[in-house]
Amino acid sequence: MKTGRIHSIESLGSLDGPGIRTVFFMQGCNMKCLYCHNRDSWDCRGGEVISTGEILSAVKSYRAYYGHTGGVTFSGGEPLLQSDFLLEVVTGLKDMGVHCAIDTSGSLYNGNTERLIDQTDLVILDIKHSDPHMYRTLCGSDGSASFRTLEYLKKSRTPYWIRQVIVPGYTDSFQQIDMLKELIMGKKSPERVELLPYHDGGKDKWISLGQQYPLEAIGSPPSDLMSVLRTRLTSPS
């Protein structure tokens, strides 16, 4: 039985997939997003060690709350960094008949990534930016692995959602939204596309670690701009 590392558990989540869900936030991340809400999750050696059996046992205790639409979501940090562990966990959950989702930036692409996608009921892919240069500015990576993950999702049978955080000065331009729209077009479209307004909810974690919060001077995007961007993204070309 394998072990992994988790940052935290949300027992009754409602924002990370359909229905009521148990959300396991995995420890460790290979991204350096300027607006990260879980700055303390970056260290792959941190968190709490947990076994496959402990996760399955925890899910059994919450299962009554899932109803017909809920289940389990693995978020992060970056869950793909522990894909070998999650493959065993997801297999066990599927044997129990529990819906499994992976919430990921797709920032690690290899054979395990493909196998995990194929075994999962839903992938929520967070595309940080549509332009590789700005992707690196915002997150310390050029996004190439994320884009490869997206292309595999388009070919796989696994349903997927697309998310992007709208950060003023980084992802809030019409050009960026048009590029995102072009990226996600294809024979197999995402079931849902969500543009989420940036907020500084993770600021206190940066400060508690003695780190300066990088986006100190940036506020949340106006609600009317969010409406315009959502309309632009979903309207026919």
Side-chain angles (χ1 to χ4, degrees):
M1 187 172 291
K2 299 183 185 300
T3 60
R5 288 182 179 270
I6 60 169
H7 170 271
S8 55
I9 303 174
E10 184 178 0
S11 56
L12 297 174
S14 60
L15 301 176
D16 300 281
I20 301 298
R21 312 188 71 79
T22 303
V23 185
F24 292 91
F25 293 92
M26 308 304 293
Q27 182 72 23
C29 191
N30 56 342
M31 303 280 277
K32 300 294 181 284
C33 299
L34 300 182
Y35 55 88
C36 180
H37 288 176
N38 289 324
R39 174 62 181 83
D40 51 342
S41 72
W42 289 7
D43 185 358
C44 293
R45 299 165 297 178
E48 175 186 349
V49 176
I50 192 169
S51 69
T52 298
E54 288 173 308
I55 287 185
L56 299 182
S57 178
V59 170
K60 286 180 182 178
S61 66
Y62 298 128
R63 191 173 180 180
Y65 298 99
Y66 299 159
H68 296 296
T69 58
V72 174
T73 298
F74 296 97
S75 187
E78 176 46 69
L80 294 183
L81 292 180
Q82 301 188 61
S83 56
D84 191 46
F85 169 61
L86 287 185
L87 279 167
E88 182 175 91
V89 173
V90 168
T91 298
L93 291 173
K94 294 299 287 291
D95 288 343
M96 292 167 55
V98 175
H99 183 279
C100 297
I102 303 289
D103 184 358
T104 175
S105 66
S107 58
L108 180 69
Y109 189 90
N110 55 31
N112 266 359
T113 304
E114 296 180 357
R115 285 189 286 273
L116 190 56
I117 288 173
D118 292 341
Q119 289 295 316
T120 303
D121 297 302
L122 172 69
V123 173
I124 304 171
L125 181 64
D126 185 1
I127 298 181
K128 308 293 185 176
H129 204 289
S130 304
D131 175 76
H133 174 73
M134 286 300 297
Y135 200 116
R136 183 175 294 280
T137 299
L138 190 61
C139 302
S141 163
D142 64 4
S144 57
S146 180
F147 300 147
R148 288 186 67 190
T149 301
L150 173 60
E151 290 307 308
Y152 187 77
L153 283 167
K154 290 179 180 180
K155 295 184 294 184
S156 76
R157 296 181 178 180
T158 303
Y160 69 102
W161 297 359
I162 296 293
R163 282 181 173 171
Q164 185 173 88
V165 177
I166 299 302
V167 184
Y170 290 89
T171 54
D172 61 341
S173 71
F174 285 179
Q175 180 184 22
Q176 198 281 140
I177 294 299
D178 291 344
M179 291 174 67
L180 175 62
K181 187 174 183 177
E182 184 175 353
L183 268 176
I184 63 179
M185 288 175 60
K187 293 183 178 179
K188 181 190 170 189
S189 300
E191 288 190 343
R192 180 182 299 187
V193 181
E194 299 177 334
L195 299 182
L196 307 177
Y198 159 80
H199 62 81
D200 64 357
K203 178 180 176 180
D204 288 347
K205 291 187 178 182
W206 288 74
I207 294 173
S208 69
L209 293 170
Q211 302 286 323
Q212 181 177 358
Y213 185 64
L215 302 183
E216 182 78 40
I218 294 180
S220 298
S223 58
D224 56 345
L225 174 61
M226 292 299 303
S227 296
V228 169
L229 295 180
R230 288 173 179 136
T231 298
R232 189 176 185 94
L233 182 62
T234 57
S235 63
S237 300

